[in-house]
């Protein structure tokens, strides 16, 4: 019995040391991966990296990590124009599956990834306003002047229409979608007011905007989008992604 107790104590101690070593190793790997991603993506701050699964050391020995979670705050995504500073994504979260790395640990790829991102209405409005006012008729200009949540997963778009008689600011309810890799918004109908009757088709061209989001981390792409209280919530996905290297 005494020998059995000694054996059990030995197993518990060894097991505890293995767990401790495993956790130390995974925290070290997370820190190094976060630094590498920050450098390769040119981020302003270090992202959150969380390696899932236990034990970590056996995953390393096999050359593949089951799941890796990535979180980036205030990510600057380009909007498709070389002279444009882009648009700020407030919160980007992605879960990478089947992450493989080479023997030198200098590069890594993910078999697939899913995640979410959010763009605040104020940030989206700032990007849309960069297009400036558009002339929709002689002496009449129009531009998007406000974005907010309209309920039922729709966006309330305030459009300013300036005429020689003054400026009106009606609102429309728009549905957002992903169209050709861009976030697009389309109004269901336009208000029946004289200012809109002057050039409805051209005013709709101002209201129904598109916003590109290029160079997302690791090559992930837009999947779906919907309007929520805080802003535009986007679902992202990808496969065979280059994470670092």
């Amino acid at each position: 019995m005494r020998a059995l107790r000694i054996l059990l104590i030995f197993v518990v101690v060894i097991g505890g040391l293995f767990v401790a070593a495993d956790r130390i190793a995974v925290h070290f790997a997370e820190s190094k991966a976060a630094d590498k991603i920050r450098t390769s993506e040119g981020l302003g701050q270090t992202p959150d990296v969380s390696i899932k699964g236990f034990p970590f050391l056996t995953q390393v020995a096999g050359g593949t990590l089951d799941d890796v979670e990535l979180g980036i705050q205030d990510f600057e995504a380009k909007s498709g124009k070389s002279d444009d500073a882009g648009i700020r994504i407030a919160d980007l979260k992605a879960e990478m599956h089947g992450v493989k790395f080479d023997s030198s640990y200098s590069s890594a790829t993910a078999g697939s990834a899913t995640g979410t991102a959010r763009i605040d209405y104020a940030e989206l409005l700032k990007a849309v306003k960069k297009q400036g006012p558009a002339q929709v008729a002689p002496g009449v200009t129009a531009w998007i002047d406000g974005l907010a949540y309209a309920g039922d997963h729709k966006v309330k778009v305030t459009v300013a229409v300036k005429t020689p008689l003054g400026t009106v600011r009606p609102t429309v309810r728009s549905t957002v979608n992903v169209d050709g890799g861009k976030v697009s918004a389309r109004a269901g109908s336009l208000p029946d007011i004289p200012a809109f009757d002057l050039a409805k088709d051209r005013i709709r061209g101002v209201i129904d905007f598109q916003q590109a989001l290029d160079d997302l981390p690791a090559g992930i792409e837009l999947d779906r989008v919907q309007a929520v209280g805080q802003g535009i919530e986007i679902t992202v996905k990808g496969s065979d992604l280059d994470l670092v290297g």
Side-chain angles (χ1 to χ4, degrees):
M1 290 296 295
R2 184 168 180 271
L4 180 59
R5 286 197 300 271
I6 293 174
L7 178 60
L8 289 175
I9 293 172
F10 177 79
V11 170
V12 170
V13 170
I14 294 299
L17 291 175
F18 176 78
V19 171
D22 190 84
R23 294 301 88 190
I24 291 172
V26 75
H27 289 316
F28 178 79
E30 289 170 345
S31 176
K32 288 297 182 181
D35 290 340
K36 182 71 173 180
I37 293 171
R38 177 178 180 175
T39 301
S40 63
E41 296 293 340
L43 303 178
Q45 57 181 304
T46 304
D48 294 325
V49 175
S50 179
I51 299 173
K52 303 299 182 180
F54 179 83
F56 166 70
L57 293 175
T58 58
Q59 294 183 68
V60 172
T64 302
L65 303 178
D66 296 334
D67 296 290
V68 178
E69 292 182 357
L70 173 66
I72 302 176
Q73 301 292 324
D74 297 330
F75 177 78
E76 195 81 13
K78 294 183 179 179
S79 62
K81 299 179 181 179
S82 59
D83 59 345
D84 199 333
I87 184 169
R88 183 178 61 86
I89 297 177
D91 188 14
L92 174 64
K93 296 178 181 178
E95 184 172 340
M96 315 290 182
H97 309 284
V99 178
K100 297 182 179 180
F101 46 88
D102 62 16
S103 57
S104 65
Y105 305 104
S106 60
S107 65
T109 60
S112 63
T114 57
T116 59
R118 191 188 81 249
I119 302 174
D120 295 338
Y121 289 118
E123 185 67 22
L124 184 59
L125 177 62
K126 187 191 304 181
V128 172
K129 274 192 168 183
K130 291 176 182 178
Q131 300 175 11
Q135 184 171 346
V136 296
V140 181
T141 56
W143 64 93
I144 294 177
D145 201 42
L147 296 175
Y149 186 53
D152 195 27
H153 298 302
K154 295 185 184 298
V155 177
K156 182 174 74 173
V157 180
T158 301
V159 56
V161 182
K162 185 178 180 180
T163 73
L165 299 178
T167 302
V168 294
R169 287 180 169 80
T171 63
V172 299
R173 287 165 55 90
S174 297
T175 301
V176 289
N177 291 290
V178 172
D179 184 10
K182 300 178 180 179
V183 175
S184 66
R186 180 171 178 79
S189 61
L190 300 184
D192 187 17
I193 60 175
F196 274 53
D197 291 336
L198 293 173
K200 274 196 172 183
D201 289 341
R202 292 185 179 180
I203 291 176
R204 176 174 282 280
V206 174
I207 296 174
D208 295 343
F209 65 88
Q210 286 190 329
Q211 179 62 44
L213 294 176
D214 299 328
D215 293 336
L216 292 175
I220 56 178
E221 300 176 345
L222 305 183
D223 183 22
R224 297 187 304 275
V225 62
Q226 69 174 358
V228 295
Q230 290 181 298
I232 303 299
E233 188 173 79
I234 302 167
T235 302
V236 296
K237 67 177 182 178
S239 58
D240 298 325
L241 306 173
D242 289 324
L243 302 182
V244 293

